[in-house]
Amino acid sequence: MDARVPRVLVIGASAGGVSALQRVLGALPATLPCPALVVLHVPRDRPSRIAELLDPGSALRVREAEDKQPLEVGTVTFAPPDYHMLVEDEASIALSLDEPVLFSRPAIDPLFESAAAVFGADVLAILLTGASSDGSEGVAAVRQAGGQAWLQCPEDAEASMMPASALQRAGADAVLTLDELCECLKELK
């Protein structure tokens, strides 16, 4: 597997994603040399406490995104409820109220696609468990731009549809169990 260090790490998850993200964020080294951006499908009608829940188990700061926020090394940034999170340029994030994608806002595809448009081959996209096909188009965009896509092995995922759909639509640079994925992430220094 190609072990080049990305300029941005983007992660998407849905059903079963909280427990998967606890493990993934716990595996990210404190010295991760790039910002990490995460979309987790969350209900749009109430505040999310996901950043507060996951911050204690991460060596990196975990926070919810704000519009026009700078991309920050040493930080994991989550999309807030009812907003798509986009990589606006090499320095900042934008929040969008564009239409839901596959009934989700935030959705994974807009994050992955915008990261690919801005950072090209310097993107590492990770798609975890989920019960929709959100993320498939985004994985395709990342791979077409020369970036890397690591998918959670569908048989290892709590909900297999999301990684299975992306694998069928776009392929992957690696298909890993959650344990294998966490070991690989520890090497991103």
Side-chain angles (χ1 to χ4, degrees):
M1 179 169 46
D2 185 357
R4 70 179 181 247
V5 176
R7 290 181 57 208
V8 68
L9 170 63
V10 291
I11 303 171
S14 186
V18 173
S19 60
L21 284 166
Q22 284 177 313
R23 295 193 47 210
V24 166
L25 298 189
L28 291 174
T31 56
L32 184 72
C34 65
L37 307 175
V38 183
V39 166
L40 174 66
H41 292 163
V42 292
R44 62 178 92 170
D45 56 347
R46 60 181 183 259
S48 171
R49 301 280 183 238
I50 195 68
E52 294 170 28
L53 174 70
L54 297 179
D55 186 63
S58 174
L60 303 169
R61 177 177 176 224
V62 180
R63 65 177 293 190
E64 192 171 280
E66 297 174 12
D67 194 36
K68 308 304 181 197
Q69 169 186 323
L71 285 169
E72 298 176 74
V73 173
T75 302
V76 177
T77 304
F78 274 81
D82 209 25
Y83 288 92
H84 295 304
M85 181 170 62
L86 309 171
V87 177
E88 185 170 51
D89 54 37
E90 290 189 10
S92 63
I93 296 166
L95 298 180
S96 162
L97 287 170
D98 287 345
E99 289 300 311
V101 174
L102 297 167
F103 308 103
S104 294
R105 187 174 62 207
I108 299 162
D109 282 333
L111 172 62
F112 284 18
E113 291 167 345
S114 65
V118 171
F119 286 105
D122 294 322
V123 176
L124 172 56
I126 296 175
L127 191 63
L128 301 170
T129 180
S132 79
S133 61
D134 187 22
S136 296
E137 295 303 318
V139 166
V142 167
R143 296 194 77 220
Q144 288 168 357
Q148 300 177 75
W150 297 355
L151 307 183
Q152 183 177 6
C153 179
E155 296 77 22
D156 182 63
E158 187 174 318
S160 64
M161 185 178 180
M162 188 175 288
S165 174
L167 188 58
Q168 180 179 18
R169 162 70 178 92
D173 297 285
V175 179
L176 306 160
T177 67
L178 206 49
D179 287 341
E180 293 167 336
L181 179 62
C182 289
E183 286 305 311
C184 291
L185 289 172
K186 290 175 184 175
E187 301 305 313
L188 293 178
K189 309 176 188 181

